[in-house]
Amino acid sequence: MKTEKTINLTAYKVEYIDQREPKPRTVYTQTVVLDGGKISALNRLDMRPAGYITQQFERGGYTVSAVHKGETIEARIDLADLWQQTMTHIEHERLKIQLNAAIAQLNSEGVEV
């Protein structure tokens, strides 16, 4: 059974400012990566990726000064491997939470760790 998937990723360089800062304001740069599925969905909604990205930044209270389309790459993903990595990560996070809770409980009982 084939468990690989090919996804297309496109990077966009976003230049934006935070209007809440006092003048002169700093122009920040961030890279936003969209996959082919998101870009296709935006096209079906008659939206350009730059417009979508600008809309998302404006919701966060920022003003976008420029969006530059960057490189598009193809990535091959082994879904079975991704599943295993994700499950391992989730288990590590659960163990970390349990360990922190046990340490907090020991500290509250006056035991030094």
Side-chain angles (χ1 to χ4, degrees):
M1 181 174 169
K2 182 180 174 186
T3 63
E4 278 192 0
K5 180 176 175 92
T6 301
I7 59 172
N8 293 309
L9 302 172
T10 303
Y12 295 87
K13 181 179 167 189
V14 183
E15 296 173 4
Y16 65 97
I17 59 173
D18 187 345
Q19 294 288 353
R20 298 166 289 202
E21 287 183 1
K23 290 183 180 179
R25 296 184 178 112
T26 304
V27 176
Y28 297 97
T29 303
Q30 182 175 334
T31 300
V32 175
V33 179
L34 300 178
D35 66 34
K38 173 73 87 176
I39 294 170
S40 176
L42 291 171
N43 286 334
R44 285 191 301 274
L45 294 171
D46 202 27
M47 256 185 114
R48 292 180 29 239
Y52 169 76
I53 292 168
T54 300
Q55 186 180 67
Q56 298 306 305
F57 273 79
E58 287 175 350
R59 285 184 182 168
Y62 302 102
T63 300
V64 174
S65 56
V67 178
H68 305 283
K69 182 179 179 182
E71 190 177 352
T72 298
I73 60 170
E74 235 181 50
R76 289 193 173 277
I77 308 291
D78 183 340
L79 297 176
D81 185 45
L82 179 61
W83 176 270
Q84 186 59 45
Q85 288 179 23
T86 303
M87 293 305 293
T88 302
H89 177 74
I90 289 169
E91 186 60 29
H92 282 131
E93 290 300 313
R94 284 184 192 146
L95 290 172
K96 197 183 318 180
I97 290 168
Q98 290 173 355
L99 181 61
N100 287 337
I103 290 171
Q105 184 178 1
L106 287 173
N107 285 339
S108 70
E109 294 173 359
V111 177
E112 275 198 39
V113 179

